[in-house]
mmCIF file with all atom_site columns, all heavy atoms in Angstrom:
data_model
loop_
_atom_site.group_PDB
_atom_site.id
_atom_site.type_symbol
_atom_site.label_atom_id
_atom_site.label_alt_id
_atom_site.label_comp_id
_atom_site.label_asym_id
_atom_site.label_entity_id
_atom_site.label_seq_id
_atom_site.pdbx_PDB_ins_code
_atom_site.Cartn_x
_atom_site.Cartn_y
_atom_site.Cartn_z
_atom_site.occupancy
_atom_site.B_iso_or_equiv
_atom_site.pdbx_formal_charge
_atom_site.auth_seq_id
_atom_site.auth_comp_id
_atom_site.auth_asym_id
_atom_site.auth_atom_id
_atom_site.pdbx_PDB_model_num
ATOM   1  N N   . SER Q 1 57  ? 6.678  65.842 18.157 1.00 98.00 ? 57  SER Q N   1
ATOM   2  C CA  . SER Q 1 57  ? 6.063  64.523 17.991 1.00 98.00 ? 57  SER Q CA  1
ATOM   3  C C   . SER Q 1 57  ? 6.970  63.467 18.614 1.00 98.00 ? 57  SER Q C   1
ATOM   4  O O   . SER Q 1 57  ? 8.151  63.738 18.878 1.00 98.00 ? 57  SER Q O   1
ATOM   5  C CB  . SER Q 1 57  ? 5.838  64.183 16.513 1.00 98.00 ? 57  SER Q CB  1
ATOM   6  O OG  . SER Q 1 57  ? 7.072  63.965 15.862 1.00 98.00 ? 57  SER Q OG  1
ATOM   7  N N   . CYS Q 1 58  ? 6.425  62.297 18.797 1.00 98.00 ? 58  CYS Q N   1
ATOM   8  C CA  . CYS Q 1 58  ? 7.229  61.163 19.257 1.00 98.00 ? 58  CYS Q CA  1
ATOM   9  C C   . CYS Q 1 58  ? 8.197  60.765 18.154 1.00 98.00 ? 58  CYS Q C   1
ATOM   10 O O   . CYS Q 1 58  ? 9.339  60.383 18.420 1.00 98.00 ? 58  CYS Q O   1
ATOM   11 C CB  . CYS Q 1 58  ? 6.303  60.005 19.619 1.00 98.00 ? 58  CYS Q CB  1
ATOM   12 S SG  . CYS Q 1 58  ? 7.126  58.498 20.136 1.00 98.00 ? 58  CYS Q SG  1
ATOM   13 N N   . THR Q 1 59  ? 7.742  60.878 16.907 1.00 98.00 ? 59  THR Q N   1
ATOM   14 C CA  . THR Q 1 59  ? 8.599  60.557 15.769 1.00 98.00 ? 59  THR Q CA  1
ATOM   15 C C   . THR Q 1 59  ? 9.855  61.431 15.804 1.00 98.00 ? 59  THR Q C   1
ATOM   16 O O   . THR Q 1 59  ? 10.975 60.933 15.629 1.00 98.00 ? 59  THR Q O   1
ATOM   17 C CB  . THR Q 1 59  ? 7.821  60.793 14.453 1.00 98.00 ? 59  THR Q CB  1
ATOM   18 O OG1 . THR Q 1 59  ? 6.615  60.037 14.514 1.00 98.00 ? 59  THR Q OG1 1
ATOM   19 C CG2 . THR Q 1 59  ? 8.624  60.399 13.246 1.00 98.00 ? 59  THR Q CG2 1
ATOM   20 N N   . THR Q 1 83  ? 4.532  47.496 15.411 1.00 98.00 ? 83  THR Q N   1
ATOM   21 C CA  . THR Q 1 83  ? 4.564  48.865 15.928 1.00 98.00 ? 83  THR Q CA  1
ATOM   22 C C   . THR Q 1 83  ? 4.120  49.811 14.834 1.00 98.00 ? 83  THR Q C   1
ATOM   23 O O   . THR Q 1 83  ? 3.908  49.397 13.691 1.00 98.00 ? 83  THR Q O   1
ATOM   24 C CB  . THR Q 1 83  ? 5.981  49.242 16.409 1.00 98.00 ? 83  THR Q CB  1
ATOM   25 O OG1 . THR Q 1 83  ? 5.981  50.579 16.940 1.00 98.00 ? 83  THR Q OG1 1
ATOM   26 C CG2 . THR Q 1 83  ? 6.996  49.177 15.265 1.00 98.00 ? 83  THR Q CG2 1
ATOM   27 N N   . ASP Q 1 155 ? 10.355 53.401 22.859 1.00 98.00 ? 155 ASP Q N   1
ATOM   28 C CA  . ASP Q 1 155 ? 9.238  54.071 22.186 1.00 98.00 ? 155 ASP Q CA  1
ATOM   29 C C   . ASP Q 1 155 ? 8.061  53.939 23.156 1.00 98.00 ? 155 ASP Q C   1
ATOM   30 O O   . ASP Q 1 155 ? 7.432  52.882 23.259 1.00 98.00 ? 155 ASP Q O   1
ATOM   31 C CB  . ASP Q 1 155 ? 8.946  53.389 20.848 1.00 98.00 ? 155 ASP Q CB  1
ATOM   32 C CG  . ASP Q 1 155 ? 7.755  54.004 20.119 1.00 98.00 ? 155 ASP Q CG  1
ATOM   33 O OD1 . ASP Q 1 155 ? 6.886  54.597 20.795 1.00 98.00 ? 155 ASP Q OD1 1
ATOM   34 O OD2 . ASP Q 1 155 ? 7.674  53.850 18.893 1.00 98.00 ? 155 ASP Q OD2 1
ATOM   35 N N   . ALA Q 1 157 ? 5.274  55.715 23.189 1.00 98.00 ? 157 ALA Q N   1
ATOM   36 C CA  . ALA Q 1 157 ? 4.097  56.404 22.643 1.00 98.00 ? 157 ALA Q CA  1
ATOM   37 C C   . ALA Q 1 157 ? 2.813  55.982 23.363 1.00 98.00 ? 157 ALA Q C   1
ATOM   38 O O   . ALA Q 1 157 ? 1.873  56.753 23.466 1.00 98.00 ? 157 ALA Q O   1
ATOM   39 C CB  . ALA Q 1 157 ? 3.982  56.148 21.143 1.00 98.00 ? 157 ALA Q CB  1
ATOM   40 N N   . HIS Q 1 158 ? 2.788  54.719 23.860 1.00 98.00 ? 158 HIS Q N   1
ATOM   41 C CA  . HIS Q 1 158 ? 1.591  54.210 24.548 1.00 98.00 ? 158 HIS Q CA  1
ATOM   42 C C   . HIS Q 1 158 ? 1.777  54.209 26.062 1.00 98.00 ? 158 HIS Q C   1
ATOM   43 O O   . HIS Q 1 158 ? 0.889  53.740 26.768 1.00 98.00 ? 158 HIS Q O   1
ATOM   44 C CB  . HIS Q 1 158 ? 1.313  52.754 24.143 1.00 98.00 ? 158 HIS Q CB  1
ATOM   45 C CG  . HIS Q 1 158 ? 1.134  52.556 22.672 1.00 98.00 ? 158 HIS Q CG  1
ATOM   46 N ND1 . HIS Q 1 158 ? 0.915  51.314 22.110 1.00 98.00 ? 158 HIS Q ND1 1
ATOM   47 C CD2 . HIS Q 1 158 ? 1.113  53.430 21.644 1.00 98.00 ? 158 HIS Q CD2 1
ATOM   48 C CE1 . HIS Q 1 158 ? 0.790  51.437 20.805 1.00 98.00 ? 158 HIS Q CE1 1
ATOM   49 N NE2 . HIS Q 1 158 ? 0.914  52.704 20.493 1.00 98.00 ? 158 HIS Q NE2 1
ATOM   50 N N   . SER Q 1 179 ? 4.567  60.152 23.073 1.00 98.00 ? 179 SER Q N   1
ATOM   51 C CA  . SER Q 1 179 ? 3.725  60.827 22.074 1.00 98.00 ? 179 SER Q CA  1
ATOM   52 C C   . SER Q 1 179 ? 2.516  61.474 22.726 1.00 98.00 ? 179 SER Q C   1
ATOM   53 O O   . SER Q 1 179 ? 1.884  60.884 23.606 1.00 98.00 ? 179 SER Q O   1
ATOM   54 C CB  . SER Q 1 179 ? 3.218  59.818 21.046 1.00 98.00 ? 179 SER Q CB  1
ATOM   55 O OG  . SER Q 1 179 ? 2.302  60.446 20.156 1.00 98.00 ? 179 SER Q OG  1
ATOM   56 N N   . LYS Q 1 184 ? -3.608 59.688 21.783 1.00 98.00 ? 184 LYS Q N   1
ATOM   57 C CA  . LYS Q 1 184 ? -2.828 59.078 22.862 1.00 98.00 ? 184 LYS Q CA  1
ATOM   58 C C   . LYS Q 1 184 ? -3.405 59.408 24.245 1.00 98.00 ? 184 LYS Q C   1
ATOM   59 O O   . LYS Q 1 184 ? -4.349 60.189 24.355 1.00 98.00 ? 184 LYS Q O   1
ATOM   60 C CB  . LYS Q 1 184 ? -1.363 59.505 22.735 1.00 98.00 ? 184 LYS Q CB  1
ATOM   61 C CG  . LYS Q 1 184 ? -0.726 59.095 21.391 1.00 98.00 ? 184 LYS Q CG  1
ATOM   62 C CD  . LYS Q 1 184 ? -0.415 57.608 21.269 1.00 98.00 ? 184 LYS Q CD  1
ATOM   63 C CE  . LYS Q 1 184 ? -0.335 57.054 19.873 1.00 98.00 ? 184 LYS Q CE  1
ATOM   64 N NZ  . LYS Q 1 184 ? 0.827  57.370 19.084 1.00 98.00 ? 184 LYS Q NZ  1
ATOM   65 N N   . PHE Q 1 328 ? -0.891 46.581 15.009 1.00 97.00 ? 328 PHE Q N   1
ATOM   66 C CA  . PHE Q 1 328 ? -0.476 47.407 13.883 1.00 97.00 ? 328 PHE Q CA  1
ATOM   67 C C   . PHE Q 1 328 ? -0.316 46.516 12.662 1.00 97.00 ? 328 PHE Q C   1
ATOM   68 O O   . PHE Q 1 328 ? -0.097 45.324 12.814 1.00 97.00 ? 328 PHE Q O   1
ATOM   69 C CB  . PHE Q 1 328 ? 0.901  48.030 14.178 1.00 97.00 ? 328 PHE Q CB  1
ATOM   70 C CG  . PHE Q 1 328 ? 0.873  49.104 15.235 1.00 97.00 ? 328 PHE Q CG  1
ATOM   71 C CD1 . PHE Q 1 328 ? 1.214  48.798 16.545 1.00 97.00 ? 328 PHE Q CD1 1
ATOM   72 C CD2 . PHE Q 1 328 ? 0.492  50.406 14.930 1.00 97.00 ? 328 PHE Q CD2 1
ATOM   73 C CE1 . PHE Q 1 328 ? 1.198  49.792 17.527 1.00 97.00 ? 328 PHE Q CE1 1
ATOM   74 C CE2 . PHE Q 1 328 ? 0.478  51.394 15.907 1.00 97.00 ? 328 PHE Q CE2 1
ATOM   75 C CZ  . PHE Q 1 328 ? 0.820  51.087 17.205 1.00 97.00 ? 328 PHE Q CZ  1
HETATM 76 C C1  . PLP S 2 .   ? 1.713  57.101 17.812 1.00 91.50 ? 401 PLP S C1  1
HETATM 77 C C2  . PLP S 2 .   ? 2.964  56.315 17.775 1.00 91.50 ? 401 PLP S C2  1
HETATM 78 C C3  . PLP S 2 .   ? 4.183  56.869 17.371 1.00 91.50 ? 401 PLP S C3  1
HETATM 79 C C4  . PLP S 2 .   ? 4.290  58.233 16.746 1.00 91.50 ? 401 PLP S C4  1
HETATM 80 O O1  . PLP S 2 .   ? 3.870  59.253 17.559 1.00 91.50 ? 401 PLP S O1  1
HETATM 81 P P1  . PLP S 2 .   ? 3.760  60.741 16.951 1.00 91.50 ? 401 PLP S P1  1
HETATM 82 O O2  . PLP S 2 .   ? 3.693  61.607 18.163 1.00 91.50 ? 401 PLP S O2  1
HETATM 83 O O3  . PLP S 2 .   ? 2.506  60.770 16.131 1.00 91.50 ? 401 PLP S O3  1
HETATM 84 O O4  . PLP S 2 .   ? 4.981  60.983 16.155 1.00 91.50 ? 401 PLP S O4  1
HETATM 85 C C5  . PLP S 2 .   ? 5.340  56.116 17.502 1.00 91.50 ? 401 PLP S C5  1
HETATM 86 N N1  . PLP S 2 .   ? 5.295  54.858 17.955 1.00 91.50 ? 401 PLP S N1  1
HETATM 87 C C6  . PLP S 2 .   ? 4.143  54.273 18.326 1.00 91.50 ? 401 PLP S C6  1
HETATM 88 C C7  . PLP S 2 .   ? 4.184  52.881 18.868 1.00 91.50 ? 401 PLP S C7  1
HETATM 89 C C8  . PLP S 2 .   ? 2.933  54.974 18.223 1.00 91.50 ? 401 PLP S C8  1
HETATM 90 O O5  . PLP S 2 .   ? 1.780  54.381 18.550 1.00 91.50 ? 401 PLP S O5  1
#
Side-chain angles (χ1 to χ4, degrees):
S57 69
C58 177
T59 305
T83 181
D155 178 335
H158 303 178
S179 174
K184 301 286 156 74
F328 289 98

